[in-house]
């Protein structure tokens, strides 16, 4: 069973914790990586690609008719389509913006991909593009960007 921080606990965290400076986010990647058995460097590379490490990033996704269909939030750009499925863990538009909570959600998504489709680059690409057959090129492109980002960390 996946455990997440309840909003009541998040609301009691010291205010300084909520405004952690950018370089200190590394502990979030370490913690989430350990919890979900995902390389913290991989998590940081995904966050770099998704949000340029901006914890306040919000992206609106539109369909071909220009209608808003979802939003992506925070460091790991967690998609709002997850909110209903994860409501029991208090995943909301508000709680998803807490940086470490956001990174843990991203690690959980990635770990789920690995559990269902193997620990491979296709699963990494699916973090962004999903597993539909029609999105294979997008998965490959995304995975290549993450590989390049990881190489830049070295």
């Amino acid at each position: 069973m996946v455990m997440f921080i309840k909003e009541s606990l998040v609301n009691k965290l010291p205010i300084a914790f909520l405004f952690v400076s950018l370089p200190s986010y590394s502990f979030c990647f370490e913690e989430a990586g350990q919890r979900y058995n995902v390389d913290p460097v991989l998590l940081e590379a995904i966050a770099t690609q998704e949000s340029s490490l901006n914890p306040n990033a919000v992206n609106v996704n539109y369909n071909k008719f220009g209608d808003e269909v979802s939003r992506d939030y925070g460091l790991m750009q967690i998609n709002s389509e997850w909110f209903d499925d994860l409501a029991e863990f208090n995943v909301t538009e508000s709680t998803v913006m807490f940086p470490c909570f956001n990174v843990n959600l991203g690690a959980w998504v990635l770990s789920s991909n690995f559990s269902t489709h193997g620990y491979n680059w296709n699963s990494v690409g699916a973090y962004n593009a999903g597993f539909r057959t029609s999105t294979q090129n997008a998965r490959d492109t995304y995975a290549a960007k993450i590989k390049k980002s990881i190489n830049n960390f070295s």
Side-chain angles (χ1 to χ4, degrees), residues 7-154:
E7 184 172 315
S8 60
L9 176 60
V10 171
N11 288 337
K12 293 177 183 173
L13 293 173
I15 195 74
F17 180 78
L18 301 177
F19 298 101
V20 178
S21 64
L22 187 61
S24 62
Y25 287 134
S26 62
F27 78 91
C28 300
F29 299 111
E30 293 290 333
E31 175 198 47
Q34 187 173 38
R35 177 174 287 136
Y36 293 102
N37 196 31
V38 176
D39 186 339
V41 173
L42 176 58
L43 293 173
E44 188 172 357
I46 289 173
T48 300
Q49 177 63 38
E50 291 289 326
S51 68
S52 299
L53 296 176
N54 177 358
N56 299 312
V58 177
N59 180 56
V60 180
N61 303 301
Y62 298 95
N63 64 17
K64 63 183 177 182
F65 305 109
D67 301 321
E68 182 179 323
V69 293
S70 65
R71 291 182 181 208
D72 303 318
Y73 295 92
L75 287 165
M76 301 295 285
Q77 290 292 276
I78 303 300
N79 190 276
S80 59
E81 290 186 8
W82 285 107
F83 293 178
D84 288 340
D85 293 339
L86 298 176
E88 70 180 285
F89 302 108
N90 203 31
V91 177
T92 67
E93 187 175 350
S94 174
T95 60
V96 78
M97 294 304 290
F98 292 109
C100 285
F101 187 62
N102 189 281
V103 172
N104 272 273
L105 286 170
W108 175 80
V109 170
L110 191 57
S111 179
S112 297
N113 288 359
F114 291 150
S115 293
T116 58
H117 291 80
Y119 201 90
N120 54 54
W121 288 109
N122 193 54
S123 293
V124 172
Y127 182 89
N128 177 265
F131 284 108
R132 291 185 314 275
T133 304
S134 63
T135 63
Q136 184 64 56
N137 287 339
R139 277 195 303 279
D140 292 343
T141 300
Y142 186 80
K145 289 177 182 178
I146 299 304
K147 283 182 197 178
K148 183 177 180 182
S149 183
I150 288 173
N151 289 336
N152 290 338
F153 288 160
S154 303

